[in-house]
Amino acid sequence: VCTGGGGGIMEAANRGAADAGGRTIGLNIGLPYEQRPNPYITPDLGFEFHYFFMRKLWFAHLACAMVAFPGGFGTLDELCEILTLSQTRKLSRRIPVLLYGESYWREVINFDALARHGTIAERDLELFKYVDEPAVALDVLKSWLLEEIQHPSPVFAKTTKPG
């Protein structure tokens, strides 16, 4: 499990993975008066970043899925980065995106309006799914991973023109 390495839901994810015997990665960002690395990050797998763009690069490089929980500007930035990279096929693989807390996400970002106004394609609404329960999120992720194992997606980066 790879998280931003802070407290709250990030700490819970790292703790759950650590309690299950897994390794956990924490990609922390150095901010004044902000998060500090949580104690459930595997030793030597906690990283401190100064720049957001470098942190997001590593998130995108390491991720096989993204589960976004309600959050502020940082969460929105990371979510939009992954959706944009997926939309433009700048990733070497598909990354399923789950938006946890449908009522929150529908209020904060009106994706349907973006499609209606033509600023994103209707098919871009398939880049993510809303989920409201941990068991549903797990089922969606397991289903996607099984599908990916049985029918690997084409390498997006090799299907786009340079530049």
Side-chain angles (χ1 to χ4, degrees):
V1 169
C2 180
T3 73
I9 197 70
M10 294 177 283
E11 183 172 333
N14 287 128
R15 182 178 182 175
D19 287 352
R23 295 178 7 170
T24 70
I25 301 170
L27 303 181
N28 212 316
I29 187 82
L31 300 172
Y33 314 111
E34 286 287 334
Q35 69 188 31
R36 299 291 173 252
N38 71 63
Y40 301 100
I41 297 167
T42 300
D44 298 325
L45 292 180
F47 302 91
E48 180 85 15
F49 291 87
H50 182 73
Y51 296 107
F52 284 99
F53 75 92
M54 288 301 298
R55 182 179 186 232
K56 289 188 299 184
L57 172 77
W58 279 101
F59 269 128
H61 177 70
L62 294 170
C64 63
M66 177 182 194
V67 181
F69 287 82
F73 289 140
T75 301
L76 293 170
D77 180 43
E78 293 160 357
L79 171 63
C80 289
E81 179 83 10
I82 293 296
L83 289 175
T84 300
L85 291 171
S86 293
Q87 174 199 50
T88 59
R89 296 183 176 206
K90 295 296 183 184
L91 296 170
S92 61
R93 71 220 172 279
R94 292 184 299 172
I95 295 179
V97 175
L98 303 183
L99 302 179
Y100 196 92
E102 183 173 359
S103 64
Y104 173 84
W105 289 109
R106 286 195 181 274
E107 181 179 349
V108 171
I109 305 175
N110 191 337
F111 290 107
D112 293 326
L114 292 172
R116 204 171 41 255
H117 288 281
T119 56
I120 65 171
E122 189 76 27
R123 72 178 173 275
D124 292 334
L125 298 174
E126 298 172 13
L127 294 173
F128 60 89
K129 291 184 181 191
Y130 297 105
V131 293
D132 286 311
E133 298 191 23
V136 173
L138 181 60
D139 287 346
V140 170
L141 290 174
K142 285 170 36 178
S143 173
W144 181 85
L145 289 171
L146 181 60
E147 175 66 23
E148 190 63 22
I149 289 168
Q150 293 174 345
H151 307 287
S153 62
V155 178
F156 287 155
K158 292 183 179 178
T159 63
T160 58
K161 294 180 182 176

